Amino acid sequence: HVLTEMGCTDVLCCVIFVIVILGYIVLGTVAWMHGDPRKVVYPTDSYGQFCGQQGTPNANKAILFYFNILQCANPTVLINLQCPTTQLCVSKCPDRFATYIDMQYNYRRNKSYWDYYKQFCKPGFNNPDKPVSQVLRDEDCPSMIVPSRPFLQRCFPDFITRNGTLTVANKTNFKDGHGKVRSVVDLRDAANGITSLLDAKEVGVKIFEDYASSWFWILIGLVISMLVSLIFILLLRFTAGVLFWMVIFGVIVAVGYGIWHCYWEYSTLKGKPDSDITISDIGFQTDFRVYLQLSQTWLIFMISLAVIEAIIIIVLIFLRSRVRIAIALLKEGSKAIGCIMSTLFYPIITFLLLALCIAYWAVTAVFLASSGEAVYKVMSTLPDCKYTNLTCDPETFSQSNVTKLCPGSQCTFAFYGGESLYHRYIFVLQLCNLLVFLWLVNFTIALGQCTLAGAFASYYWALRKPEDIPPCPLASSFGRALRYHTGSLAFGALILSIVQFIRIILEYLDHKLKGAHNAFTRFLLCCLKCCFWCLEHFIKFMNRNAYIMISIYGKNFCASARDAFFLLMRNVMRVAVLDKVTDFLLFLGKLLISGSVGVLAFFFFTRQIPVIQEEVPSLNYYWVPLLTVIFGSYMIAHGFFNVYAMCVDTLFLCFCEDLERNDGSPSKPYYMPPGLHRILNKTDQGGKKYAVS
């Protein structure tokens, strides 16, 4: 039976865990003191001032302007604010081609030329009669301006491709302000990759617009999925067998219909012109309807669905008896949840705790990333200046020899950094932030698993159900887990977190070495990733069962993990069949819920429901809200069904323990319900046991 009076387990790990949490709070506080998220939110000009920050002269100047974008090598340099040219905060980007020479010539006839041009000059400079050579030497004003538009709060040339020709404001050439005529291609090379980024931004804006116009209907879809999940669970309590056979055959019929529909579409498109173009020929398209016009797309869909159908049918043929036993476990799980209905809503607590962990980690990471003082470096237009890129002090720079040896050089802002001990170990602190975050997340999940296991174990070990079930089993289990087993849960979570941390590092190394030609290194990394993936899933499985044993007997983590492991090994066939078949059935339920809600959303967003056709918002991409509803529905169903999965796992482990500790005699009666006892072919007479067929 479940022990209600327990002693504290893994006290040392509990103390370490509490100390780490206190240290994590200190880390967040230090990061908050040194960091400044404005460095991430706002771009910074050459004087270290934020563009668009309220309460400063740049409050209405939220965009960064580059004096000479031709000096910038690539977009990465631009985004990192290390382009060797003066950078200035402006209220808007230039909308025309102009040079300082042309402006000075036209200024004598019309003052408005200077009024427009000076907004891109240094603040306080108001001398349009200053010689051009001195203006360009001192970088008081840019030598030229080009039509631009803001991207990432920075002015980039407004590239437009017309009839295959790259243009800026319908021009292919422009004056650079130094007496030369340059091609627009030079601007593209200076800002290489920006055109694709701008296209990505346009897609992002359209997606945001779709979310803004359809969020209400997305929310309704998610509420419907939650109600369907609840109804599914309530029906499962009374008609688990019938409902799950309906789910299984419903999925078979649905996949079969999908195969027929794909074949019909394939045969219809087969005879049409241009339908035999392959997917690789048209490349990636944001409008998915383009792919639906290809016969190859429907052929791929048909083959994929046929493979899925074959797998489902083969599994049912060879494991039909196991499926019946799994349904019996689910029925018993339904009864357990029916007696402890509060367990259905425990995932909300887990979700809130996980949201708190993610929010704290993200805020700490941003503050750590934005820690550091402004670093200024010498920027010179002279190619042979030996002081270029050396650190400088803007307050004393004008009195130094650099201005004499390198005329026109400036001490401008480069990036944020520092040489203190704290700044040198920012990367290490980010790794610590990640590791503790993983630890807290896994501890939160472990706490939920142990709490649910304790509640369901109290149901199983009640000899008379539901009379002998203790009051408030979920709250009691939660209190026991926190009071006595924090150390054990933290120990298991730490082991899992270390493995996940190593996996993240391996993924990072693999990403960095993608361009490497060392085949052995790539092979070794691939093997390590595979091994640690298997190790992570094995540890998750063992931790889950260890937490069940902890909730029942109150032993420490290592003893509970050992007991769970040998108990499962002694019942390895039951574990392999019953547990996995149950997972398979629950997975089919998730698919049915998310699929049915997804089909409903598809017909709604594609205006195929006449009754509410007028209510459908105008969308750029109908698949944006559709995929959101499908994914959200699956996650909601996953949250509810996880409670069922934990219930079945707990009952199964209790059942195995019950068989080993009791023999069905009056002195040692079985605690399993009669229905489960009958289906699993057990007898109370003489302790005789039959193997599960």
Side-chain angles (χ1 to χ4, degrees), residues 297-516:
T297 303
W298 294 103
L299 179 62
I300 293 173
F301 286 163
M302 183 176 65
I303 294 174
S304 302
L305 290 176
V307 171
I308 294 173
E309 184 88 330
I311 292 174
I312 293 174
I313 293 175
I314 290 173
V315 167
L316 288 177
I317 290 174
F318 287 96
L319 299 179
R320 58 189 183 278
S321 60
R322 317 299 186 186
V323 170
R324 288 197 297 267
I325 297 172
I327 290 173
L329 278 172
L330 282 167
K331 283 183 178 180
E332 198 56 42
S334 303
K335 294 178 183 178
I337 289 179
C339 294
I340 316 174
M341 288 292 289
S342 56
T343 54
L344 286 176
F345 302 97
Y346 185 84
I348 297 175
I349 298 176
T350 301
F351 173 78
L352 294 176
L353 292 175
L354 289 176
L356 179 64
C357 293
I358 293 171
Y360 188 86
W361 166 76
V363 171
T364 303
V366 169
F367 273 93
L368 282 173
S370 60
S371 297
E373 304 297 329
V375 175
Y376 296 85
K377 290 193 174 184
V378 177
M379 298 292 181
S380 176
T381 56
L382 300 177
D384 56 347
C385 178
K386 63 180 181 180
Y387 295 100
T388 301
N389 288 329
L390 293 182
T391 306
C392 58
D393 185 351
E395 296 182 359
T396 61
F397 183 74
S398 58
Q399 287 81 33
S400 65
N401 292 330
V402 179
T403 55
K404 300 176 182 177
L405 298 174
C406 299
S409 60
Q410 296 182 353
C411 183
T412 60
F413 169 81
F415 54 87
Y416 290 102
E419 298 298 327
S420 66
L421 183 66
Y422 170 77
H423 294 118
R424 285 202 299 267
Y425 286 93
I426 289 290
F427 182 71
V428 176
L429 294 177
Q430 286 283 26
L431 293 179
C432 293
N433 181 32
L434 176 61
L435 179 60
V436 179
F437 164 71
L438 293 174
W439 195 1
L440 290 175
V441 166
N442 287 317
F443 175 81
T444 301
I445 296 173
L447 178 62
Q449 292 176 342
C450 190
T451 299
L452 291 173
F456 294 128
S458 66
Y459 166 85
Y460 185 93
W461 297 111
L463 190 58
R464 294 178 302 161
K465 302 174 178 62
E467 292 83 1
D468 292 344
I469 299 176
C472 303
L474 184 67
S476 301
S477 179
F478 183 77
R480 289 196 303 270
L482 274 182
R483 181 179 178 183
Y484 299 113
H485 308 310
T486 296
S488 298
L489 300 180
F491 189 19
L494 177 61
I495 296 173
L496 181 59
S497 301
I498 292 174
V499 173
Q500 291 174 336
F501 184 73
I502 295 174
R503 283 197 64 203
I504 292 174
I505 293 177
L506 289 175
E507 289 290 345
Y508 174 78
L509 293 175
D510 184 51
H511 177 73
K512 288 293 184 182
L513 295 175
K514 273 188 176 178

Side-chain angles (χ1 to χ4, degrees), residues 74 95 99 117 121 123 128 174 217 239 288 311 334 364 486 501 528 535 545 589 632:
N74 56 61
D95 59 5
T99 65
Y117 204 93
C121 298
F174 65 96
W217 297 104
T239 58
F288 283 3
I311 292 174
S334 303
T364 303
T486 296
F501 184 73
L528 288 174
L535 180 61
N545 291 283

Side-chain angles (χ1 to χ4, degrees), residues 570-615:
R570 291 192 296 270
N571 298 272
V572 65
M573 285 305 297
R574 296 183 183 128
V575 174
V577 176
L578 300 182
D579 187 52
K580 294 310 165 189
V581 168
T582 303
D583 289 345
F584 173 69
L585 293 175
L586 291 177
F587 176 70
L588 289 181
K590 297 174 193 176
L591 285 184
L592 184 66
I593 291 173
S594 58
S596 59
V597 176
V599 169
L600 180 64
F602 173 78
F603 285 122
F604 174 78
F605 288 116
T606 55
R607 301 176 182 269
Q608 297 186 39
I609 304 179
V611 180
I612 52 176
Q613 191 173 8
E614 300 299 326
E615 302 293 333

Side-chain angles (χ1 to χ4, degrees), residues 90-287:
V90 296
S91 58
K92 62 180 181 180
C93 296
D95 59 5
R96 67 196 70 171
F97 279 111
T99 65
Y100 190 83
I101 297 174
D102 292 340
M103 182 282 304
Q104 200 173 53
Y105 175 77
N106 293 318
Y107 161 72
R108 299 184 179 91
R109 296 180 299 170
N110 190 338
K111 304 293 184 182
S112 63
Y113 282 91
W114 170 243
D115 293 334
Y116 179 80
Y117 204 93
K118 72 177 181 181
Q119 62 183 322
F120 305 108
C121 298
K122 288 182 179 178
F125 180 75
N126 194 19
N127 184 12
D129 295 319
K130 184 176 180 179
V132 176
S133 58
Q134 296 181 20
V135 170
L136 300 183
R137 182 197 65 191
D138 299 335
E139 292 201 356
D140 294 320
C141 291
S143 63
M144 63 171 183
I145 57 175
V146 299
S148 306
R149 56 174 164 170
F151 175 68
L152 298 175
Q153 290 184 274
R154 292 160 175 83
C155 290
F156 288 113
D158 189 7
F159 296 111
I160 298 176
T161 303
R162 295 185 182 278
N163 299 323
T165 304
L166 187 68
T167 65
V168 174
N170 294 324
K171 292 186 177 181
T172 57
N173 298 297
F174 65 96
K175 299 177 182 178
D176 67 354
H178 295 279
K180 296 181 181 178
V181 176
R182 305 287 290 269
S183 170
V184 169
V185 177
D186 295 334
L187 285 175
R188 183 195 62 188
D189 295 339
N192 184 30
I194 294 301
T195 51
S196 59
L197 290 175
L198 288 173
D199 291 339
K201 183 196 174 187
E202 290 180 0
V203 174
V205 169
K206 290 181 179 179
I207 291 176
F208 179 79
E209 290 174 351
D210 288 343
Y211 277 125
S213 59
S214 63
W215 67 269
F216 178 73
W217 297 104
I218 292 175
L219 192 61
I220 289 179
L222 297 180
V223 170
I224 291 174
S225 66
M226 185 179 69
L227 294 176
V228 172
S229 298
L230 284 172
I231 293 172
F232 191 91
I233 288 173
L234 291 175
L235 290 176
L236 192 65
R237 178 186 175 188
F238 303 105
T239 58
V242 175
L243 197 57
F244 264 101
W245 281 117
M246 287 175 61
V247 169
I248 292 171
F249 288 113
V251 170
I252 292 175
V253 171
V255 175
Y257 171 78
I259 294 173
W260 175 83
H261 183 76
C262 292
Y263 175 76
W264 182 79
E265 293 282 358
Y266 172 75
S267 59
T268 303
L269 291 173
K270 190 64 177 174
K272 292 184 178 180
D274 298 330
S275 65
D276 56 346
I277 300 175
T278 62
I279 295 176
S280 58
D281 290 337
I282 64 172
F284 176 74
Q285 301 290 329
T286 56
D287 188 356

